[in-house]
Amino acid sequence: MGATIKDVAKAAGTSVSTVSKVLNGHYSISEETAQRVRKVMKELNYYPSASAQSIAKGTTKIVTVLTSLSPNTAFQNPHMFEIVAGMEETLRAKGYRLHLRGVDAADACEVAEEIISRRSADALAIHVSVMSHPLSGLLTKLRFPHIVLGMPNFESQVCWIDNNNVYSGTIAASYLLGKGYRKIAFIGGQYYDLGSSLRLQGVKQELQSAGFPLEDRYIWLGDSTRADGMGMTAKLLDHAPLPDAIICANNYIALGCVDALHSRGLQIPEDMAVLTFDDYPFSRMIDPPLTVVDINVRDMGSQAGKFLVDMVRNPNMQVQTYVTTSNILERRSTVPKKK
Amino acid sequence: MGATIKDVAKAAGTSVSTVSKVLNGHYSISEETAQRVRKVMKELNYYPSASAQSIAKGTTKIVTVLTSLSPNTAFQNPHMFEIVAGMEETLRAKGYRLHLRGVDAADACEVAEEIISRRSADALAIHVSVMSHPLSGLLTKLRFPHIVLGMPNFESQVCWIDNNNVYSGTIAASYLLGKGYRKIAFIGGQYYDLGSSLRLQGVKQELQSAGFPLEDRYIWLGDSTRADGMGMTAKLLDHAPLPDAIICANNYIALGCVDALHSRGLQIPEDMAVLTFDDYPFSRMIDPPLTVVDINVRDMGSQAGKFLVDMVRNPNMQVQTYVTTSNILERRSTVPKKK
DNA sequence: TTGAAAGCGCTAACAT
DNA sequence: ATGTTAGCGCTTTCAA
């Protein structure tokens, strides 16, 4: 292990520049020599040195992901890793490599600065949880290729990508309507829970335009906890007429919702259907398995990767924000057994 | 962004080699000049180029992780990412960066070969799921610094790290004994399920030496599924005398075990305690939350990182296998309410 | 204690 | 179509 371009040139009886040219598919090389050189490369088991190429070309072919990597993130936030996996896949297909770099919000900016200065990456993908004002400033000032994974919760000029929660809401509503449900309820997070609010907005929109507007008494907001999920469901059940389907803004609330329905002896979905968002492992572990609007987080990573590569190739790109689509994963919680 | 060593040298009124020396803490530099040079570096916001250093030193300061990154791995195998996170953390502390590279078992070997040839990493961390005979051969033949994450299921000379399943088993048993349980049962995967078998072995060992040997009728093996978990528990419940605690080899089996106990109207842990291995998110979501023997997978990553760096610094190291420890996370499933 | 200069492996004008 | 050569940014003998 250790053949260099010189070795190849020597063995092939050519100059190094010729070898370099076949390496880079330069037009001026005759098919004949190209073949010969490639053959020698195979024989010598030659691969060009990554760092030598980087330094000569001034480009690293590396994308660094800046994210929190503190204990248990993999368990608490598998989405983030699924995004990274999706990103790695499409980056690899385009000849890029992916660096994973743990940071916290406090030092993300400094780290970004160092990475940019050391030219140790061509682009940066930054998880929204470590975003900060200074970092946002740095990125836009330097016009360094980047994308923020998730929508920043402050005004800025950075590029970001997120799933379209409003759209997810409409998907949820139209799916239930299609299944014949008409009295649809929504239980979700507080008004400042952006994800929940946007989903609610989508649900409202869709039901409205279908002619079955979401009634206020069918909307309850609380914390995104199992306990509040139970509580909100209980409220719903305390006031007739009962809905025939409940949309839960997220899995935690859904968990509580299912608890409450069970404890009242109601059958899911025969007595009441339940639907939520995001496919967590336990979405399908609980009884009954939950129908979810899946946000295809992997695709989000993939698109982020694609965007970054485009950005590197064409630094003048103006695209700022990206939004991914979602789709239904139908499971038992919305499919009554045939009688 | 863009200061080079020359700029620093010029601004500091020294030669580049002097700057390089202060960069690398060479002994021969006077504290005076060192100070001055460092000051200039700060001012110019200078960081040495990663690739230039790599090429000059012949070392990349990069560890590449080879693992499967197919859709849903983040959800199905969060452990792997937690290992990676742990590894990144300790690598970073030692000045190394981490590359994440998705592969499947079929091409892992070829990819490894390329990485080694391109010198694009100083060491390789390979998830056991993509290990193969050829890859094992390559690694040992080239004596390239590496570690396999998980114990390979075939004989080989590779270095690997895994948690000590036997030890986890003894922990589980001794914990339950300490809680006063005496009639302890074990339900687990088939004999060829290595993890399960080793855990069983540990349980047996511990119970034996405590004077309460595990009775054969309290052992059932099946598939690692929720369904088989239910089935095995049912068997247990069909034959008196009933155990007072059940150790489940993994979460899937535990899930079924809990189902079965509930469906027979038994209280956990009052009628029967339940304990399993590995802390999954749903271990604490289900009712009651499960006591688990946690394998501290993050620490495993951390140790792997440490080992790799040692290996890079001292290529003659002979250490082959590593084993991490485990500990109890006590939750309600083994803690009866006080009366 | 410092500096000059020869690489490291590759790319890219520029010549031929 | 191919070769010569001057870098890329840094490290590292070797001299001074």
Side-chain angles (χ1 to χ4, degrees):
Chain A
M1 4 101 250
T4 76
I5 198 171
K6 280 187 192 165
D7 302 325
V8 176
K10 194 165 299 170
T14 66
S15 70
V16 290
S17 66
T18 299
V19 177
S20 172
K21 279 166 191 157
V22 350
L23 228 33
N24 295 284
H26 195 276
Y27 68 96
S28 71
I29 298 295
S30 74
E31 192 47 35
E32 200 191 325
T33 31
Q35 296 272 308
R36 182 158 42 92
V37 170
R38 266 193 279 271
K39 188 154 156 286
V40 174
M41 286 177 175
K42 276 269 162 317
E43 287 166 12
L44 265 51
N45 210 290
Y46 166 82
Y47 294 91
S49 144
S51 353
Q53 294 197 127
S54 290
I55 195 180
K57 290 192 168 158
T59 184
T60 59
K61 294 283 196 172
I62 288 177
V63 169
T64 297
V65 178
L66 256 34
T67 182
S68 162
L69 245 36
S70 51
N72 287 318
T73 35
F75 297 108
Q76 277 150 21
N77 191 8
H79 282 101
M80 194 269 287
F81 285 99
E82 193 64 22
I83 295 177
V84 169
M87 190 152 58
E88 197 276 339
E89 184 177 60
T90 100
L91 285 177
R92 175 155 37 85
K94 294 174 183 292
Y96 281 75
R97 309 211 308 293
L98 183 146
H99 267 210
L100 197 56
R101 170 66 143 100
V103 293
D104 48 51
D107 55 36
C109 185
E110 197 179 351
V111 170
E113 205 175 338
E114 174 174 344
I115 289 170
I116 297 175
S117 289
R118 297 190 67 155
R119 284 131 291 170
S120 61
D122 291 345
L124 244 25
I126 303 160
H127 192 259
V128 65
S129 63
V130 298
M131 264 315 270
S132 62
H133 260 294
L135 180 47
S136 153
L138 181 77
L139 259 17
T140 56
K141 196 187 78 191
L142 266 37
R143 309 198 81 243
F144 190 79
H146 69 272
I147 195 163
V148 177
L149 306 170
M151 187 176 94
N153 60 2
F154 56 86
E155 208 34 61
S156 72
Q157 299 293 314
V158 297
C159 303
W160 55 265
I161 185 169
D162 206 344
N163 55 292
N164 190 335
N165 280 311
V166 177
Y167 179 71
S168 296
T170 67
I171 292 285
S174 75
Y175 164 79
L176 288 176
L177 288 172
K179 279 285 176 182
Y181 298 101
R182 288 298 175 266
K183 294 183 289 176
I184 297 174
F186 181 95
I187 60 180
Q190 310 279 14
Y191 68 93
Y192 50 77
D193 176 340
L194 206 52
S196 173
S197 299
L198 295 172
R199 286 164 182 180
L200 171 54
Q201 188 184 320
V203 170
K204 274 184 171 167
Q205 227 168 267
E206 181 69 15
L207 291 180
Q208 177 81 47
S209 68
F212 305 94
L214 180 56
E215 303 181 39
D216 280 345
R217 64 176 168 191
Y218 281 163
I219 304 180
W220 288 93
L221 303 183
D223 288 338
S224 282
T225 62
R226 188 172 188 166
D228 271 29
M230 282 190 75
M232 292 186 279
T233 307
K235 301 274 193 197
L236 235 30
L237 298 180
D238 283 345
H239 303 281
L242 298 189
D244 53 14
I246 304 179
I247 300 177
C248 304
N250 60 52
N251 268 273
Y252 299 99
I253 290 174
L255 228 38
C257 176
V258 168
D259 291 341
L261 292 174
H262 280 338
S263 77
R264 301 264 182 138
L266 292 176
Q267 296 291 322
I268 307 172
E270 286 73 13
D271 296 319
M272 210 166 291
V274 173
L275 176 153
T276 186
F277 299 85
D278 302 352
D279 191 31
Y280 276 75
F282 59 79
S283 310
R284 72 189 80 168
M285 303 264 59
I286 71 173
D287 182 40
L290 298 178
T291 293
V292 301
V293 177
D294 190 21
I295 58 176
N296 203 348
V297 85
R298 179 151 186 122
D299 180 58
M300 182 169 147
S302 173
Q303 288 199 44
K306 189 172 164 323
F307 172 73
L308 287 177
V309 173
D310 289 348
M311 194 81 167
V312 169
R313 296 197 180 138
N314 174 11
N316 300 318
M317 265 180 67
Q318 283 300 346
V319 189
Q320 248 219 66
T321 68
Y322 251 66
V323 142
T324 65
T325 187
S326 5
N327 56 291
I328 282 282
L329 294 184
E330 181 173 79
R331 290 199 272 252
R332 265 214 339 270
S333 74
T334 57
V335 186
K337 293 192 192 76
K338 294 237 173 66
K339 302 189 184 156
Chain B
M1 8 94 249
T4 74
I5 199 172
K6 279 187 190 164
D7 302 325
V8 176
K10 196 165 298 170
T14 66
S15 69
V16 290
S17 62
T18 300
V19 178
S20 171
K21 277 165 190 157
V22 351
L23 228 33
N24 294 284
H26 195 273
Y27 67 96
S28 72
I29 298 295
S30 74
E31 192 48 33
E32 201 190 326
T33 30
Q35 296 271 309
R36 182 158 41 91
V37 169
R38 268 192 279 270
K39 189 155 155 288
V40 172
M41 286 178 176
K42 275 268 159 321
E43 288 165 9
L44 267 49
N45 209 292
Y46 166 81
Y47 293 92
S49 144
S51 353
Q53 293 197 129
S54 291
I55 195 180
K57 289 191 166 153
T59 183
T60 59
K61 294 281 195 175
I62 288 177
V63 169
T64 296
V65 178
L66 256 34
T67 180
S68 162
L69 245 37
S70 51
N72 288 316
T73 34
F75 298 108
Q76 277 151 19
N77 191 9
H79 282 102
M80 195 268 289
F81 286 98
E82 195 64 23
I83 295 178
V84 170
M87 191 152 57
E88 196 276 341
E89 184 176 61
T90 100
L91 285 177
R92 176 154 37 86
K94 294 176 182 290
Y96 282 75
R97 310 208 310 293
L98 182 147
H99 267 210
L100 197 57
R101 169 66 143 103
V103 293
D104 47 48
D107 55 38
C109 185
E110 196 180 352
V111 170
E113 204 175 339
E114 174 174 345
I115 289 171
I116 297 174
S117 289
R118 298 190 64 155
R119 283 130 292 170
S120 60
D122 291 345
L124 244 24
I126 302 161
H127 191 262
V128 66
S129 63
V130 298
M131 265 313 272
S132 61
H133 260 293
L135 180 48
S136 154
L138 181 77
L139 259 18
T140 56
K141 195 186 79 189
L142 264 38
R143 306 199 83 243
F144 191 79
H146 68 272
I147 195 162
V148 176
L149 307 169
M151 188 178 95
N153 60 3
F154 56 86
E155 207 36 60
S156 71
Q157 299 295 313
V158 297
C159 304
W160 55 265
I161 185 169
D162 206 343
N163 55 292
N164 190 334
N165 280 312
V166 176
Y167 179 70
S168 296
T170 66
I171 292 284
S174 75
Y175 164 80
L176 288 175
L177 289 172
K179 281 284 175 180
Y181 297 100
R182 288 298 175 266
K183 293 183 289 175
I184 296 174
F186 181 95
I187 60 180
Q190 310 281 15
Y191 68 94
Y192 50 77
D193 175 340
L194 205 53
S196 174
S197 299
L198 294 172
R199 286 164 182 179
L200 172 54
Q201 187 185 322
V203 170
K204 273 184 171 168
Q205 226 168 268
E206 182 69 16
L207 292 179
Q208 176 81 48
S209 68
F212 305 94
L214 180 56
E215 303 182 38
D216 279 343
R217 61 173 170 192
Y218 280 164
I219 305 180
W220 289 92
L221 302 184
D223 287 338
S224 282
T225 62
R226 188 171 188 168
D228 271 28
M230 284 190 72
M232 291 186 281
T233 309
K235 302 273 191 197
L236 236 30
L237 299 180
D238 283 345
H239 304 281
L242 298 189
D244 53 14
I246 304 180
I247 299 178
C248 304
N250 61 52
N251 268 273
Y252 299 98
I253 290 174
L255 228 40
C257 175
V258 168
D259 290 340
L261 292 174
H262 280 338
S263 77
R264 301 263 181 138
L266 293 174
Q267 295 290 322
I268 307 172
E270 287 73 13
D271 297 319
M272 210 167 291
V274 172
L275 176 152
T276 186
F277 299 85
D278 301 354
D279 191 31
Y280 275 76
F282 59 79
S283 311
R284 71 188 81 168
M285 305 263 57
I286 71 173
D287 182 42
L290 298 178
T291 294
V292 301
V293 177
D294 190 20
I295 59 175
N296 203 350
V297 85
R298 180 154 185 117
D299 180 59
M300 183 169 145
S302 173
Q303 289 199 45
K306 188 170 165 323
F307 172 72
L308 286 178
V309 174
D310 290 347
M311 194 80 166
V312 169
R313 296 196 180 136
N314 174 10
N316 300 317
M317 267 179 64
Q318 283 300 345
V319 188
Q320 248 220 67
T321 69
Y322 250 65
V323 144
T324 65
T325 185
S326 6
N327 56 291
I328 282 279
L329 296 183
E330 180 174 78
R331 290 198 273 252
R332 268 215 336 273
S333 74
T334 57
V335 186
K337 295 193 190 75
K338 295 237 173 65
K339 306 197 179 150

